[in-house]
Amino acid sequence: QVHFVESGGGSVQPGGSLKLSCVASGFSLNHLAVGWFRRAPGQEREGVSCISAADGTTHYGESVKGRFTISKDNAGSTMYLQMNNLKPEDAAFYYCAAKGSNHCDGNWIHWGRGTQVTVSS
């Protein structure tokens, strides 16, 4: 059974940094495209980043390009999201997730319970 556990969320001031982690069990992060999406209260789900399992390319949402970096370990068990220069609009619950194929298009089909990120002064 696929199981994701996110950690690393918290409260930071604007301009600060956080590193989110996601530990996967029952599943290798190398077998499907994996990444992060976020959801703020009252807003739609927003794709943040994705790593293709086909060729390892990374993809980012326009709002986080240049500030966030996705990575995963070679064992395919842990994924990370380094978030720098955080802005108030980045505040949301962040979920690690897997797509239904090894490419970053398509829908998320598995995700964890999320970790909350708060950005305020």
Side-chain angles (χ1 to χ4, degrees), residues 49-83:
S49 185
C50 180
I51 297 179
S52 167
D55 57 12
T57 56
T58 56
H59 305 264
Y60 296 93
E62 286 297 323
S63 63
V64 306
K65 278 184 180 177
R67 300 187 298 121
F68 290 12
T69 304
I70 190 172
S71 62
K72 58 181 177 176
D73 65 2
N74 290 332
S77 62
T78 307
M79 180 168 59
Y80 306 95
L81 185 69
Q82 177 68 47
M83 306 186 296

Side-chain angles (χ1 to χ4, degrees), residues 7-108:
S7 62
S11 181
V12 295
Q13 294 184 340
S17 297
L18 284 172
K19 186 173 184 177
L20 306 183
S21 298
C22 171
V23 176
S25 59
F27 171 75
S28 169
L29 298 173
N30 294 327
H31 290 172
L32 292 174
V34 291
W36 299 83
F37 67 82
R38 67 187 182 188
R39 177 176 282 153
Q43 296 188 19
E44 296 291 323
R45 177 191 297 178
E46 178 186 7
V48 174
S49 185
C50 180
I51 297 179
S52 167
D55 57 12
T57 56
T58 56
H59 305 264
Y60 296 93
E62 286 297 323
S63 63
V64 306
K65 278 184 180 177
R67 300 187 298 121
F68 290 12
T69 304
I70 190 172
S71 62
K72 58 181 177 176
D73 65 2
N74 290 332
S77 62
T78 307
M79 180 168 59
Y80 306 95
L81 185 69
Q82 177 68 47
M83 306 186 296
N84 297 328
N85 190 21
L86 283 160
K87 303 177 181 181
E89 52 264 40
D90 294 318
F93 275 90
Y94 284 72
Y95 301 84
C96 72
K99 297 279 189 176
S101 75
N102 60 355
H103 295 280
C104 284
D105 53 4
N107 297 322
W108 303 107

